[in-house]
Amino acid sequence: MCIRDRVGELRLIAPSDPPESAEAVNEWLDDWEVHLEDRNEYALRLAADPEARFTETPKAEKQISRAIDSFAQVNSMVSCSTPGDVG
């Protein structure tokens, strides 16, 4: 199963209550979707240019992966951090 599919599955079971938790989880899943799109765009650029560099959409003036990883760490979900295989 690919990560994009897993994000979709997690959306189906994301909490709806309390509202703060629902908002935080959905924001984290939104961030994952952006990160995956960044990775897809990088793969396309890399296919055309072996010197292409991976760039990430910023969030709060930092790489979006930092927000994803911070949420995963705070919630003891280390396996839900970004893979760190590009950079």
Side-chain angles (χ1 to χ4, degrees), residues 1-18:
M1 170 175 293
C2 71
I3 296 174
R4 191 173 304 279
D5 291 343
R6 180 68 66 190
V7 169
E9 286 184 352
L10 290 172
R11 279 206 187 277
L12 296 174
I13 61 170
S16 57
D17 231 17

Side-chain angles (χ1 to χ4, degrees), residues 51-68:
E51 300 294 319
R53 297 189 63 152
F54 178 63
T55 56
E56 289 186 72
T57 300
K59 182 173 183 175
E61 300 181 19
K62 296 179 183 173
Q63 296 170 319
I64 200 161
S65 61
R66 296 183 100 184
I68 294 167

Side-chain angles (χ1 to χ4, degrees), residues 3 7 10-11 24-39 54 56-60 62-84:
I3 296 174
V7 169
L10 290 172
R11 279 206 187 277
V25 170
N26 282 302
E27 184 176 344
W28 178 69
L29 293 170
D30 291 344
D31 291 348
W32 258 110
E33 288 179 349
V34 171
H35 179 71
L36 292 171
E37 186 58 34
D38 289 345
R39 291 174 63 91
F54 178 63
E56 289 186 72
T57 300
K59 182 173 183 175
K62 296 179 183 173
Q63 296 170 319
I64 200 161
S65 61
R66 296 183 100 184
I68 294 167
D69 295 347
S70 177
F71 184 90
Q73 182 180 25
V74 165
N75 290 284
S76 300
M77 304 183 313
V78 177
S79 63
C80 294
S81 297
T82 56

